[in-house]
Amino acid sequence: MSLTLGSSAHTSDVGAAQSTKRQRPIENDYSNNYLHTRALSTQYIRNIVRPTEGYPKLQKLKELKSQQVASHCTKPYGVHVETNQIVPTLNRWVNQYALQFDVIMIGALVENQFLLPLLNLLPLYKLCAKPGFLFIWTTTANIKQLTALLNGDKWNKKFRRSEELVFVPVDENSPYFPQGQNDGFYSDPSNGNCQSLLSRKQWHCWMCITGTVRRSTDTDLIHCNIDTDLQMDLKSKSAGDDGYNNAVPEAIYRVAENFSNSNRRLHIIPCKTGYRLPVKIRKGWVIMLPDVLVDNFDPVSYEMQLHANSMVKYKSINSSGMLKQVPQYLVPQTSEIEALRPKSPV
C-alpha cells in the first residue's frame, strides 16, 4: 500500500511539474540568441527611432525644450588646441577671464579619449560653476578606472556622483561600437581565436554635481526625468552610408541640454577623432579638441553673447568669508514647459 501511494504521489508530482513547465510564459532570451546568431538584442527594439511614441506629453515637452534651447543659445564655438595645450588654455581662461561653465562634458565615443594624467590636471573645480554638472564618458573597459578616479581625494570632495548614463550602439557595424573590448577568454591563439563569446558594447558616463542643487525646488536650474539613463544608437551603418558624421551622437548633447537649464556648456575632447568620425560644433556649446575645424572662441565675445541670449540671475555665494554676487546664465522656461515636465515631490 505504501509503495502504491508513493508511486501515485510521485506520478502526481511529475505531472504537476510538467504542467507547470508547459504553462511557463515564453521568454525572450536575447543573450542565448546572440550566442547562436550574433544578432544583438538592440536590433529587436521597435521604438528605437521614436522612443516617445505613445507618450504625447513627453514628446511635446521635448519639442518645447528643444525650441527654447535653440532660441536662447550662443553661436557654435570651436577651440582648436593640441592635447598638451588643453590644460594651459583652461588655466588661462580661469586666471585671466574668470571664465566658468555650468555644464562640462569630457570625452567622445572614440576609444582614445580616456587619459587619466590629463583628467588629473584639468582645473575643473575652478572651471565648473557651483552648482555645476560634469559628464565624463568612457568605455566599459575603463569604467572601473573612472570610478576609482572619482572616488579619489581630489575629486570625491568636490564632485558628487549623481547618475550613470549608458549609450548602446545598435550593432557591431555602428562606428560607436567599441573595438577590441572583448574579455579574451583565450590568451593563447593556438587554443582559440583570442576572443570571448560576449562583447562589451556600452559606453558609460558618470554625471557628477558640484555645489548644492535640489530637484524639487531649483527648477530654474534643472529639469529631471525628461530623458532616460539609457540612450541608444538609431540605426546601423551600411556600405556607403554617410549618416554617421559626428563622434558625439546628438542624443548625448540633448541629455545635458534637457537636464540643465544653464547656458554655459563646454565639451572637452582630449584627442583627435579622425576625419572618418569628426566632431561637429554645436550651437550653445564651446567644443575644444585638437582637430576641430573651427577656431573662433573668444572669452569676451562669448560673455557678451551669454548676456544677450540668457536670463541672467545673480546668486550670493560665500567666498573667503564674504558674500559675493555671481551671475547665472539660464535658459528661460515657459509656463507650458513647467506644466508638462515631470515633477519631483517637495
Side-chain angles (χ1 to χ4, degrees):
M1 180 67 70
S2 61
L3 290 176
T4 303
L5 289 174
S7 175
S8 175
H10 176 71
T11 303
S12 176
D13 291 343
V14 171
Q18 291 177 345
S19 176
T20 302
K21 186 175 182 180
R22 286 195 298 268
Q23 293 175 3
R24 287 182 62 187
I26 298 175
E27 295 180 357
N28 294 323
D29 189 348
Y30 289 109
S31 297
N32 184 54
N33 182 67
Y34 173 74
L35 294 178
H36 289 84
T37 66
R38 309 305 290 179
L40 296 173
S41 58
T42 47
Q43 298 181 31
Y44 300 98
I45 298 176
R46 290 178 293 181
N47 65 336
I48 191 171
V49 177
R50 292 181 292 178
T52 56
E53 187 175 10
Y55 301 90
K57 290 185 178 180
L58 183 58
Q59 184 173 351
K60 181 65 174 178
L61 173 62
K62 287 193 172 186
E63 292 173 357
L64 292 174
K65 290 275 291 184
S66 178
Q67 294 170 8
Q68 199 71 358
V69 169
S71 299
H72 295 274
C73 65
T74 63
K75 72 177 185 180
Y77 284 99
V79 184
H80 184 95
V81 58
E82 295 300 324
T83 302
N84 60 357
Q85 292 300 311
I86 289 178
V87 173
T89 301
L90 295 177
N91 282 326
R92 186 172 68 252
W93 290 356
V94 170
N95 297 328
Q96 294 184 10
Y97 301 98
L99 192 60
Q100 287 189 318
F101 294 88
D102 306 289
V103 175
I104 299 177
M105 188 180 294
I106 301 175
L109 302 194
V110 182
E111 293 174 50
N112 62 346
Q113 301 298 321
F114 189 70
L115 303 178
L116 278 175
L118 178 66
L119 290 175
N120 278 312
L121 293 175
L122 293 175
L124 294 178
Y125 191 62
K126 295 180 179 179
L127 191 65
C128 191
K130 299 174 186 57
F133 308 96
L134 178 66
F135 298 80
I136 307 181
W137 286 91
T138 188
T139 59
T140 303
N142 292 327
I143 190 64
K144 290 184 178 179
Q145 298 181 55
L146 176 58
T147 303
L149 174 71
L150 297 176
N151 286 337
D153 293 338
K154 183 176 180 180
W155 292 69
N156 190 32
K157 296 179 180 179
K158 299 175 181 178
F159 294 94
R160 303 186 309 279
R161 285 184 295 165
S162 174
E163 300 285 345
E164 182 181 7
L165 310 177
V166 176
F167 182 88
V168 181
V170 66
D171 60 26
E172 294 178 354
N173 295 321
S174 169
Y176 305 127
F177 194 92
Q179 301 298 323
Q181 298 294 334
N182 71 78
D183 292 311
F185 290 165
Y186 305 107
S187 58
D188 183 6
S190 63
N191 190 28
N193 59 2
C194 291
Q195 293 183 354
S196 64
L197 292 175
L198 302 177
S199 301
R200 301 182 181 187
K201 59 178 292 188
Q202 299 97 339
W203 292 86
H204 295 261
C205 172
W206 275 118
M207 189 192 81
C208 306
I209 298 176
T210 181
T212 302
V213 61
R214 295 179 176 85
R215 64 172 62 190
S216 59
T217 57
D218 295 327
T219 57
D220 56 335
L221 299 178
I222 59 172
H223 283 171
C224 301
N225 303 323
I226 296 177
D227 293 288
T228 62
D229 297 341
L230 175 65
Q231 297 295 316
M232 304 193 67
D233 197 2
L234 295 182
K235 62 177 181 176
S236 174
K237 182 178 176 64
S238 57
D241 184 8
D242 59 354
Y244 290 102
N245 54 3
N246 198 346
V248 185
E250 186 178 350
I252 290 179
Y253 285 127
R254 285 201 307 265
V255 168
E257 292 168 355
N258 286 338
F259 176 75
S260 172
N261 295 330
S262 301
N263 231 356
R264 298 179 294 184
R265 310 181 193 98
L266 171 67
H267 191 180
I268 303 171
I269 302 174
C271 296
K272 295 181 178 180
T273 61
Y275 71 94
R276 293 184 181 274
L277 204 63
V279 175
K280 283 188 173 182
I281 57 175
R282 181 179 178 86
K283 287 184 177 180
W285 288 81
V286 178
I287 299 181
M288 167 186 281
L289 76 154
D291 55 356
V292 67
L293 298 179
V294 177
D295 187 14
N296 64 341
F297 181 72
D298 173 63
V300 176
S301 62
Y302 179 65
E303 292 268 359
M304 293 174 62
Q305 274 221 341
L306 285 172
H307 273 281
N309 294 3
S310 309
M311 179 181 71
V312 183
K313 293 180 62 177
Y314 288 88
K315 180 180 180 180
S316 298
I317 63 170
N318 192 332
S319 177
S320 302
M322 298 181 62
L323 287 179
K324 181 181 178 182
Q325 295 287 324
V326 295
Q328 293 178 317
Y329 301 94
L330 305 175
V331 178
Q333 304 302 316
T334 65
S335 57
E336 191 173 5
I337 290 177
E338 180 63 22
L340 288 172
R341 72 173 183 86
K343 306 295 194 302
S344 297
V346 179

